[in-house]
Amino acid sequence: MTFLKHPIAALVLAGCGLLSAGGALAASDALVYCTVASPESFNPQLSSSGPTFIATSQVLYNRLVTLRESDKTPAPSLATEWSVSPDGKTYTFTLRQGVKFNSNKYFTPTRDFNAEDVVFTVMRQKDPANPYHKVSGGNYEYFTDMGLDKLITKVEAVDEHHVRFKLSQPNAAFVADWAMDFASILSAEYADAMLKKGTPEYVDNWPIGTGPFALQQYKQDSLIRYIANPHYWQGEVASKHLIFSITPDPQTRLAKLKTNECQIIPAPLPEQFAAIKADGNLQLHDITGLNVGYLAFNTQKKPFDNLLVRQALSYAVDKKAIVAAVFKDSGTPANSLLPPGMLGYNDKLPEYAYDPQKARELLKQAGLEQGFETDIWSMPVQRPYNPNSKRIAEMIQSDWAKVGVKAKIVTWEWGQYLAGLRKGEQQSALYGWVSDNGDPDNFATLLGCAGVQSGANVARWCDKDYDRLIQQAIQENQPQARAKLYQQAQVIFAKQAPWLPLATGKVFYATRSNLSGYVVDVNGSDFAKAKLN
């Protein structure tokens, strides 16, 4: 991905002086969010990271459907309704009328959102012959990892306000998939105009969407500025300006919140909770999260291609101690690739309970009685499933040392970290996932065989029996039958140990006490109604 080296990082729009050099708030109608990392791109089709989605799909774009917070089921958004054929292979969406795209200094739309935009959004990702398919690197990992490139055999505009999908087989999660960040709807008219100008990359670097805000300025690793969409279809946007202050260090984020340089911070550390609660100007919030944090073993690299080694090092880690020390009251130990409460979650899996002696026995069987050297990649950002990656890596390092394994902790800038994982450069790595659509397929496909080639499967593990079960599950419309298939797949996962599941964490964020209207739920962050009182 070459986005971060693109000249957009140095572009500045005139007249946008909302922040001083020190980052202090200088406008009463501006809202500042301290994000944890720079986005990889401003096109969410090209990324899979939380910081990118928050900065792009959840601010600049909308999708065909959204998810109800109450039951995680699809609800109308850019599509007002949908129908499915009796054989489960044809879906027709009715599109909302009167929805306007934002404009920028390169382009002003001449028409409202319509079916052409949906077709372009899909075909850019699906069709290698599409003129935009290879723009900005052309790595549509979400789309391909979920098998949508093969599942969707045809997408067509029936008329301006109806779009029809033809599928190769039934797919139980298909509507929910269109609530996910990668399914953000792009403007086909803008894409055509930029292609004619010879600047197709502007579609990704200076995006146009139907969301509550439009991009004004981006300074890499510093800040992003947005301005409210005056024609937002869901009503008036509460704050005229939204600013993302890119602040990787959690201590600095909290300091900025205390001094009102930021009004919202994500992922405060558990050890910061007491200080936040004690400050009358601040408020700590939490929601139950559908997420799993894990240590992934690269099964294509020695010695982790050996099942005995993966099992040994799973037994060698004291997960309960990690949760107690790092998550405190914000998480619970995980034992599956699915989080508790999700359809198909298997609560009867065998557990890799902390057992150093068992670990040493397995290493001896693997011919590694004297131990070996390896690495542990540690995330440079905080996420609900991993609030302090460095500390978790150090605890795993200490546990492995007790069974003769010497591990070096490695970390990178977030963009490099993700790129390295996709290429399979790691031997083991801390990572995790937060549900995008409330469906178990969203987690199960992370270990699918298709993800090995794209790099989304960071364990690079391909088990044909596991893959067969999750493929059967996605075609099954009966919830109970689907649940059984996912439960069987988890048994294979537990025996093969491509991941060591660590924890499921609550989603925490902190705000200034006088902030209202900001929402965090299964759809991500919603800034449209957020304002200072």
Side-chain angles (χ1 to χ4, degrees):
M1 182 86 180
T2 59
F3 169 79
L4 292 177
K5 295 181 180 178
H6 193 274
I8 185 175
L11 291 176
V12 179
L13 293 184
C16 298
L18 298 177
L19 291 181
S20 71
L25 185 64
S28 59
D29 59 355
L31 188 67
V32 184
Y33 174 85
C34 273
T35 188
V36 304
S38 295
E40 298 172 88
S41 167
F42 280 103
N43 180 351
Q45 297 173 336
L46 299 166
S47 177
S48 63
S49 74
T52 296
F53 290 157
I54 293 171
T56 62
S57 49
Q58 296 165 28
V59 174
L60 302 169
Y61 301 98
N62 297 116
R63 288 147 292 287
L64 292 180
V65 299
T66 187
L67 297 175
R68 294 183 183 89
E69 178 58 22
S70 58
D71 59 5
K72 314 298 187 289
T73 58
S77 184
L78 291 181
T80 57
E81 60 184 8
W82 48 88
S83 61
V84 59
S85 62
D87 66 359
K89 295 197 289 187
T90 301
Y91 284 79
T92 303
F93 290 83
T94 300
L95 305 183
R96 190 177 300 277
Q97 299 184 37
V99 176
K100 300 187 181 303
F101 279 97
N102 275 301
S103 61
N104 62 23
K105 65 179 183 179
Y106 302 107
F107 180 75
T108 299
T110 65
R111 63 163 177 80
D112 292 346
F113 156 74
N114 68 27
E116 290 182 20
D117 303 307
V118 180
V119 173
F120 168 69
T121 297
V122 175
M123 294 307 291
R124 171 176 178 171
Q125 299 176 84
K126 173 179 170 56
D127 183 9
N130 186 285
Y132 270 87
H133 187 74
K134 294 181 180 179
V135 172
S136 302
N139 181 20
Y140 307 101
E141 62 178 77
Y142 247 112
F143 193 83
T144 55
D145 291 348
M146 297 176 66
L148 292 175
D149 54 333
K150 297 179 177 62
L151 177 68
I152 299 171
T153 59
K154 186 176 183 180
V155 56
E156 58 184 343
V158 179
D159 55 40
E160 281 192 21
H161 306 302
H162 294 85
V163 64
R164 179 182 296 136
F165 290 85
K166 299 277 190 179
L167 309 185
S168 61
Q169 60 190 30
N171 186 285
F174 187 71
V175 174
D177 288 346
W178 292 99
M180 294 170 64
D181 298 84
F182 82 91
S184 297
I185 302 301
L186 279 59
S187 167
E189 187 187 22
Y190 181 41
D192 288 343
M194 293 303 100
L195 195 63
K196 289 175 183 175
K197 282 188 175 183
T199 56
E201 69 276 6
Y202 281 15
V203 169
D204 302 327
N205 295 340
W206 286 107
I208 284 178
T210 60
F213 292 91
L215 179 67
Q216 272 197 308
Q217 179 195 11
Y218 173 46
K219 289 185 176 181
Q220 184 178 335
D221 299 331
S222 177
L223 62 86
I224 313 169
R225 286 181 175 137
Y226 308 89
I227 191 166
N229 177 358
H231 309 293
Y232 189 42
W233 62 273
Q234 293 197 62
E236 184 179 0
V237 179
S239 296
K240 183 177 180 180
H241 300 282
L242 175 65
I243 302 161
F244 276 31
S245 176
I246 299 167
T247 313
D249 181 68
Q251 302 297 348
T252 305
R253 287 199 299 273
L254 180 56
K256 286 185 175 183
L257 186 69
K258 283 178 171 288
T259 58
N260 201 28
E261 294 178 62
C262 294
Q263 289 76 54
I264 309 168
I265 64 169
L269 301 177
E271 53 264 36
Q272 296 174 329
F273 292 173
I276 295 170
K277 292 176 181 178
D279 190 324
N281 294 316
L282 308 182
Q283 190 168 357
L284 182 68
H285 311 262
D286 70 86
I287 62 172
T288 301
L290 290 175
N291 60 68
V292 174
Y294 56 83
L295 178 77
F297 299 111
N298 188 338
T299 62
Q300 290 187 345
K301 284 192 172 182
K302 292 184 180 299
F304 298 125
D305 59 342
N306 188 325
L307 172 60
L308 293 173
V309 175
R310 300 196 300 270
Q311 291 176 330
L313 294 197
S314 296
Y315 280 116
V317 174
D318 190 344
K319 288 194 293 187
K320 291 182 179 179
I322 288 173
V323 172
V326 178
F327 289 80
K328 302 185 187 298
D329 295 329
S330 70
T332 55
N335 196 41
S336 171
L337 64 95
L338 297 183
M342 181 165 276
L343 176 73
Y345 173 71
N346 192 335
D347 61 359
K348 297 181 174 60
L349 294 178
E351 184 178 359
Y352 288 93
Y354 181 51
D355 190 340
Q357 181 58 38
K358 179 72 171 176
R360 283 188 283 267
E361 291 172 0
L362 290 170
L363 288 174
K364 183 177 181 180
Q365 291 179 40
L368 293 169
E369 186 176 6
Q370 302 303 315
F372 59 92
E373 294 185 2
T374 188
D375 62 34
I376 301 171
W377 280 31
S378 172
M379 297 165 53
V381 298
Q382 294 76 43
R383 306 293 289 145
Y385 53 73
N386 191 326
N388 190 334
S389 187
K390 180 181 179 183
R391 180 66 179 130
I392 291 175
E394 289 171 346
M395 294 183 74
I396 294 173
Q397 179 188 50
S398 176
D399 284 343
W400 283 359
K402 295 171 186 174
V403 297
V405 175
K406 184 178 180 180
K408 177 183 177 182
I409 297 174
V410 177
T411 193
W412 308 93
E413 178 273 330
W414 186 228
Q416 289 178 290
Y417 192 91
L418 295 173
L421 291 183
R422 293 189 193 108
K423 294 174 184 176
E425 295 173 354
Q426 75 286 358
Q427 288 184 288
S428 68
L430 289 166
Y431 205 38
W433 199 251
V434 178
S435 176
D436 293 283
N437 64 3
D439 193 276
D441 180 67
N442 195 223
F443 284 85
T445 53
L446 296 173
L447 284 163
C449 293
V452 175
Q453 183 174 359
S454 72
N457 181 342
V458 298
R460 309 185 81 80
W461 174 73
C462 175
D463 184 284
K464 294 190 174 171
D465 290 333
Y466 172 91
D467 217 54
R468 174 180 52 80
L469 287 167
I470 65 170
Q471 293 301 324
Q472 289 177 355
I474 196 60
Q475 297 180 57
E476 176 58 63
N477 284 314
Q478 296 301 319
Q480 289 185 341
R482 286 192 81 201
K484 288 181 180 178
L485 291 166
Y486 286 120
Q487 288 166 356
Q488 292 171 32
Q490 287 165 82
V491 171
I492 296 173
F493 160 82
K495 290 179 179 178
Q496 291 294 314
W499 295 352
L500 170 60
L502 294 170
T504 294
K506 289 183 180 180
V507 176
F508 285 87
Y509 61 99
T511 67
R512 298 289 298 181
S513 297
N514 62 337
L515 179 81
S516 65
Y518 175 64
V519 175
V520 178
D521 58 22
V522 68
N523 298 294
S525 293
D526 186 352
F527 297 90
K529 301 301 181 185
K531 65 178 181 178
L532 295 172
N533 301 313

